[in-house]
């Protein structure tokens, strides 16, 4: 598989966000929350809309395929 460009990667996140009916911020945080390293995102905003997007990520269940698609779009490779 080939590495995606930043624009292609953002389009992918936007498509996944649209499929879930949420923002790309929500998908980005949902991806982090599902990461096997158990990342704990630090939200550095006072904007209530952005905070709501981040909290909503706890309710999003990305499919395994969606998670790996984002992982690969970031330039990572599978072992």
């Amino acid at each position: 598989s080939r590495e995606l460009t930043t624009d292609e990667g953002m389009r992918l996140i936007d498509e996944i966000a649209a499929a879930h009916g949420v923002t790309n911020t929500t998908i980005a945080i949902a991806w982090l929350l599902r990461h096997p390293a158990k990342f704990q995102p630090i939200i550095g905003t006072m904007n209530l809309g952005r905070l709501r997007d981040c909290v909503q990520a706890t309710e999003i269940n990305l499919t395994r395929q969606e998670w790996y698609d984002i992982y690969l779009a970031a330039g990572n490779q599978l072992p």
Side-chain angles (χ1 to χ4, degrees):
S1 72
R2 67 182 184 83
E3 187 174 318
L4 296 177
T5 67
T6 302
D7 287 343
E8 290 172 317
M10 288 305 300
R11 274 195 297 277
L12 172 65
I13 291 173
D14 288 341
E15 288 172 13
I16 294 170
H20 286 273
V22 297
T23 67
N24 57 6
T25 297
T26 302
I27 295 302
I29 298 296
W31 186 89
L32 288 171
L33 292 172
R34 186 165 176 185
H35 195 283
K38 304 291 183 202
F39 293 134
Q40 296 298 311
I42 297 172
I43 310 304
T45 185
M46 299 290 286
N47 179 295
L48 287 178
R50 183 73 53 121
L51 285 171
R52 284 186 192 106
D53 291 344
C54 294
V55 170
Q56 190 175 18
T58 63
E59 301 170 4
I60 298 298
N61 293 312
L62 294 175
T63 66
R64 182 171 294 191
Q65 187 64 55
E66 289 170 331
W67 193 91
Y68 276 106
D69 286 347
I70 294 169
Y71 179 82
L72 294 171
N76 298 298
Q77 296 181 357
L78 295 176

